[in-house]
Amino acid sequence: MDLKQTKDILNKFAKYVIKQARTNLTKGKKNSSKQLYDSLDYKLKVGQNSFGLSFLMEEYGAYQDQGVSGKKRKYDTPLSFKSKMPPPSSLDKWSVRKGIAPRDKKGRFIPRQSLNFLIARSIFTYGIKPSMFFTKPFEKAFNDLPPELTNAFAIDIENSIE
């Protein structure tokens, strides 16, 4: 059975979700390295009587989307910091790209290692606020999907019977 109509609807759905998620990343200023932006993709598998759609992104995309609860500030998310803070070394390139270079009371620049440690400790304490950059467009498109998908699936079945 050829599910051409269904495949087209699911491709449109996935492309819309990816496009809106990328827009939300850019508008939310969560796109400093473009690594997460470029990693957004989907995989559509269509079998004889079934189909599957998977969305792909960098692992940290889930943390940006759903947020992470810190030790002091809690968010409505299943993710939280328990006993380990994020590694300060992972923030090194990010702090350089963002141009963060604070000075101490004497006007000297704070060493980058110290700055990265302070940022990591802040993330551990206060968490990461949920951005919902992927969840919102997915839910919106998914709510619009069922009538179109049902109709396309029915047309595919009728075409295969003929």
Side-chain angles (χ1 to χ4, degrees):
M1 175 167 44
D2 183 30
L3 301 173
K4 184 177 180 336
Q5 297 283 330
T6 308
K7 190 189 267 188
D8 289 344
I9 295 291
L10 288 174
N11 273 321
K12 285 180 186 176
F13 167 76
K15 286 178 183 176
Y16 172 81
V17 171
I18 298 293
K19 181 180 177 186
Q20 292 302 310
R22 286 180 172 165
T23 301
N24 290 346
L25 274 176
T26 304
K27 285 183 179 178
K29 297 181 181 172
K30 301 265 184 199
N31 195 18
S32 65
S33 73
K34 302 224 186 308
Q35 190 174 359
L36 180 57
Y37 182 96
D38 292 337
S39 74
L40 288 172
D41 201 5
Y42 71 95
K43 195 177 282 186
L44 178 62
K45 293 180 184 176
V46 180
Q48 281 288 83
N49 300 323
S50 65
F51 48 87
L53 178 63
S54 304
F55 287 96
L56 311 168
M57 71 174 86
E58 288 285 333
E59 182 183 356
Y60 74 92
Y63 305 123
Q64 289 294 326
D65 184 55
Q66 297 176 2
V68 183
S69 292
K71 289 307 238 179
K72 289 187 179 177
R73 185 177 298 148
K74 305 296 181 195
Y75 295 107
D76 185 21
T77 178
L79 305 170
S80 66
F81 290 110
K82 302 278 189 243
S83 60
K84 285 187 169 184
M85 67 181 199
S89 61
S90 65
L91 298 166
D92 194 37
K93 290 181 182 176
W94 177 83
S95 64
V96 170
R97 268 193 311 274
K98 289 290 191 177
I100 302 172
R103 297 174 185 259
D104 64 9
K105 291 179 182 178
K106 294 182 180 178
R108 298 175 297 191
F109 285 109
I110 294 175
R112 198 172 333 146
Q113 278 185 319
S114 301
L115 175 67
N116 293 338
F117 176 79
L118 293 172
I119 293 171
R121 188 175 67 187
S122 176
I123 292 171
F124 177 72
T125 306
Y126 298 108
I128 300 170
K129 185 178 177 181
S131 68
M132 308 298 266
F133 78 91
F134 181 81
T135 303
K136 285 183 181 178
F138 178 83
E139 288 176 350
K140 182 182 182 306
F142 187 77
N143 290 337
D144 296 340
L145 186 63
E148 294 176 5
L149 185 60
T150 308
N151 294 340
F153 196 63
I155 290 170
D156 286 336
I157 290 174
E158 284 175 14
N159 290 341
S160 69
I161 292 172
E162 294 172 2

